[in-house]
Amino acid sequence: MKQIILRVFQLFKQHHQTTILDQLSFEVYEGEILGILGRSGSGKSTLCQVLSGGYAADGGKLYFQGRPFSPWKSSRPPIALLNERSSLLPMMTVAQNLFLFEPISGQKRFFAHEKEDVRKAQCLLKEWGVSLEPCAEVKELSHGEQHVLESIKAVVNGAKIILLDEVAVYYNEKDYEVMRKQIDRLKERGITVIYADSRLKPMMEICDRILLLQHGRACGSYFREEVSEKRFGSLLAENFGEFPSKQHFTQDNNTVFCAQIPGKETSPMEICVRSGEIVGYVEEDEAQLQMVAEALSGINCKSSIPIWMEGKQVRWKRKAHAKKDGVEILYGCEDQYHLFSNFSIGLNYCITVLDRVKNPWGIIKPGLVQYLFQKEVKDERLEKYSGREAIWDLDVDERLALYLERLLLFKPKIILIYNFGRGIDFISRRRLCQRMAKECASGMAFLLLSNNELDLEGICSRIYH
């Protein structure tokens, strides 16, 4: 019988009085591939950060191999975390990344001995059955290959558990296959893998057991053979009472936005969004999803995707033309909110007015900004930010809400939200849905673009695939 390698007991974590992990308890066995399945905002990333030592827990206990364990107090915890973006140094070679911080006689070696490391890397990669060139720069590797290399480095440095936190966000089909084989290699060596994701399909292919996570609580643990894919989908589709239901969005209003998305093997798919509607579009291929988002928002004006606004076909020559026609885009990931960290919250709120009205060429001069907005902006929409001056005083979801308010200043006809829900917790996600429902009541439309259908269920009046 397999031994328990990690036990999580009543783990509790709060952030600004919001409960992220709520008395979470579960067990992980040696050599097991455990899937943590939940929607965006369910607490998966926070759990991974706590287990790897990135965050300290506010309550609960962790046991590693039967002994109490606090990874946030350990200099070298036996749990390694891999995120969607690799932590490897892109300008260095495979060999240099493998042994850059290798401990030697109790000290860290910051400069690699190149010839020795190339020889050692060749032996190591051969031992793992990985066909990577030791002298190749990491930036030349695909996302999947970088994660393979990162997992090998973690095991070499003593990791017994590998955490994979939504690593497949930017994967193509080849990357999926490369990483799946690496997970099999890790299992053969007795390494435990915890795979956290919001997409069910890859988990059904690689995980031995799947733990359902909702609102920071464990909702059940199932062996892959016990439950069908359809059953998992229905389990995750429960508890959507807090979100706006389909009846909030009218189906018989005039269409404000329409586009024909080319299919890979099928005929083009027509996406229509009516006034007062929230519509979803799902594409698992991240590159294809980004291409569609850039085309529909006018960022890529050379795209051949036909677009109609209120029944008239439009051909935008630049992004400003799409904005003029009433199309805005909001990126659902924290590094793309286009806020200025050296400006106050009030200045960030009205900087769009300056950019489009006072300064139509898009040239932003800080001195001009300070002159025009010397007095703090007074607006009821900014009351919830009172007491905080700088952008970095705000949480990720607050910056997202602030940027959404900026877009709403110009009363667009439709707002595209790319990767809806990514990087925000469940409560912030609910607030965003309520804000969208309020705008839909006044006739605005939303198109949510995502690579995960589960993130859109219960929110959209219909979902295109």
Side-chain angles (χ1 to χ4, degrees):
M1 183 177 178
K2 291 185 177 181
Q3 300 295 319
I4 296 175
I5 188 172
L6 178 68
R7 175 175 286 151
V8 178
F9 180 71
Q10 295 186 354
L11 196 63
F12 182 76
K13 178 67 179 176
Q14 275 191 326
H15 184 66
H16 289 298
Q17 299 182 344
T18 299
T19 300
I20 309 300
L21 301 176
D22 190 4
Q23 307 299 323
L24 179 62
S25 299
F26 63 92
E27 297 171 344
V28 189
Y29 296 89
E30 289 184 354
E32 181 183 32
I33 302 176
L34 176 68
I36 305 292
L37 180 63
R39 289 188 178 87
S40 297
S42 60
K44 301 186 303 299
S45 295
T46 301
L47 173 62
C48 290
Q49 288 289 344
V50 171
L51 294 181
S52 62
Y55 298 158
D58 297 323
K61 295 181 179 179
L62 296 176
Y63 298 89
F64 179 77
Q65 294 180 337
R67 298 180 180 179
F69 170 61
S70 298
W72 50 89
K73 296 180 181 179
S74 175
S75 59
R76 293 189 68 192
I79 303 176
L81 174 61
L82 276 65
N83 291 305
E84 58 189 57
R85 296 190 182 277
S86 172
S87 62
L88 301 174
L89 301 177
M91 302 303 292
M92 289 191 172
T93 66
V94 169
Q96 288 171 335
N97 271 279
L98 276 174
F99 305 112
L100 181 62
F101 296 108
E102 181 188 34
I104 293 183
S105 302
Q107 298 181 349
K108 290 184 177 179
R109 170 165 59 94
F110 293 97
F111 297 97
H113 303 303
E114 192 164 345
K115 290 183 179 180
E116 179 186 351
D117 285 344
V118 169
R119 179 184 58 78
K120 290 170 60 178
Q122 285 175 336
C123 296
L124 183 62
L125 295 173
K126 184 178 179 180
E127 179 185 344
W128 279 83
V130 176
S131 57
L132 294 178
E133 175 56 47
C135 295
E137 292 186 348
V138 166
K139 65 180 181 180
E140 298 174 357
L141 306 181
S142 67
H143 291 287
E145 290 172 334
Q146 290 183 25
H147 284 135
V148 168
L149 181 61
E150 198 171 2
S151 65
I152 294 175
K153 180 177 180 179
V155 174
V156 169
N157 289 335
K160 302 297 182 183
I161 299 176
I162 303 293
L163 299 175
L164 305 177
D165 183 18
E166 299 200 78
V167 294
V169 169
Y170 301 108
Y171 279 11
N172 54 31
E173 293 181 3
K174 183 179 179 181
D175 288 329
Y176 270 113
E177 183 63 21
V178 167
M179 197 60 195
R180 187 188 63 78
K181 291 181 179 179
Q182 178 63 9
I183 291 175
D184 290 340
R185 297 187 195 103
L186 291 169
K187 185 177 181 179
E188 291 174 359
R189 291 171 175 263
I191 303 298
T192 301
V193 178
I194 300 178
Y195 183 84
D197 208 323
S198 56
R199 287 170 291 185
L200 178 59
K201 185 177 179 180
M203 287 198 177
M204 293 295 291
E205 296 175 353
I206 64 175
C207 295
D208 301 320
R209 186 164 56 96
I210 299 177
L211 178 73
L212 296 183
L213 192 66
Q214 286 197 41
H215 308 244
R217 303 188 191 102
C219 300
S221 175
Y222 306 89
F223 287 98
R224 182 178 55 186
E225 299 81 6
E226 292 179 344
V227 185
S228 65
E229 185 171 342
K230 183 177 181 181
R231 174 58 177 155
F232 270 120
S234 63
L235 288 170
L236 281 177
E238 295 173 356
N239 301 324
F240 256 110
E242 305 95 327
F243 290 103
S245 61
K246 295 180 182 180
Q247 63 185 10
H248 285 98
F249 315 117
T250 58
Q251 300 288 332
D252 55 357
N253 291 340
N254 294 328
T255 301
V256 296
F257 184 86
C258 186
Q260 286 187 349
I261 308 298
K264 294 181 179 179
E265 299 178 357
T266 60
S267 57
M269 174 179 56
E270 188 175 79
I271 296 178
C272 294
V273 187
R274 299 180 177 89
S275 175
E277 263 192 333
I278 297 180
V279 174
Y281 170 72
V282 177
E283 172 57 60
E284 293 186 357
D285 187 337
E286 184 71 22
Q288 174 72 6
L289 183 66
Q290 184 173 355
M291 184 275 291
V292 170
E294 291 178 351
L296 300 187
S297 61
I299 296 176
N300 180 10
C301 299
K302 297 180 180 180
S303 172
S304 58
I305 295 179
I307 300 174
W308 291 265
M309 292 293 299
E310 297 181 329
K312 297 181 180 179
Q313 187 169 3
V314 293
R315 297 184 182 277
W316 299 317
K317 295 184 178 180
R318 59 186 65 180
K319 185 180 178 181
H321 295 165
K323 293 179 178 293
K324 186 177 180 180
D325 284 340
V327 179
E328 297 284 358
I329 185 167
L330 173 63
Y331 286 89
C333 44
E334 58 183 290
D335 59 342
Q336 299 195 49
Y337 292 158
H338 305 287
L339 299 175
F340 296 86
S341 58
N342 56 331
F343 293 162
S344 68
I345 293 172
L347 293 181
N348 268 281
Y349 175 64
C350 57
I351 191 67
T352 310
V353 180
L354 173 70
D355 189 24
R356 296 191 196 173
V357 180
K358 301 292 184 182
N359 199 1
W361 293 279
I363 303 172
I364 301 176
K365 299 179 180 179
L368 179 61
V369 176
Q370 299 289 353
Y371 173 77
L372 290 175
F373 302 108
Q374 286 180 352
K375 295 183 179 180
E376 190 63 41
V377 177
K378 303 297 181 182
D379 193 299
E380 60 180 8
R381 301 186 185 188
L382 296 180
E383 290 180 0
K384 57 185 176 182
Y385 303 113
S386 61
R388 287 173 289 181
E389 295 292 332
I391 285 298
W392 299 116
D393 291 336
L394 305 181
D395 293 332
V396 171
D397 60 297
E398 291 177 315
R399 296 201 294 270
L400 172 64
L402 178 62
Y403 191 69
L404 178 60
E405 295 293 351
R406 279 177 49 180
L407 297 183
L408 293 174
L409 278 174
F410 294 93
K411 303 185 185 305
K413 297 172 184 176
I414 183 171
I415 293 181
L416 313 180
I417 302 183
Y418 177 71
N419 274 330
F420 172 80
R422 183 184 296 177
I424 60 175
D425 59 35
F426 183 82
I427 295 177
S428 303
R429 173 193 173 99
R430 181 178 62 187
R431 291 172 183 159
L432 179 58
C433 290
Q434 292 171 344
R435 189 71 177 95
M436 290 191 298
K438 181 179 178 180
E439 294 301 322
C440 285
S442 61
M444 188 175 295
F446 291 86
L447 177 60
L448 311 185
L449 308 170
S450 177
N451 57 10
N452 182 20
E453 183 177 359
L454 292 175
D455 281 343
L456 305 184
E457 285 185 358
I459 302 172
C460 302
S461 55
R462 61 183 178 279
I463 299 175
Y464 295 93
H465 296 267

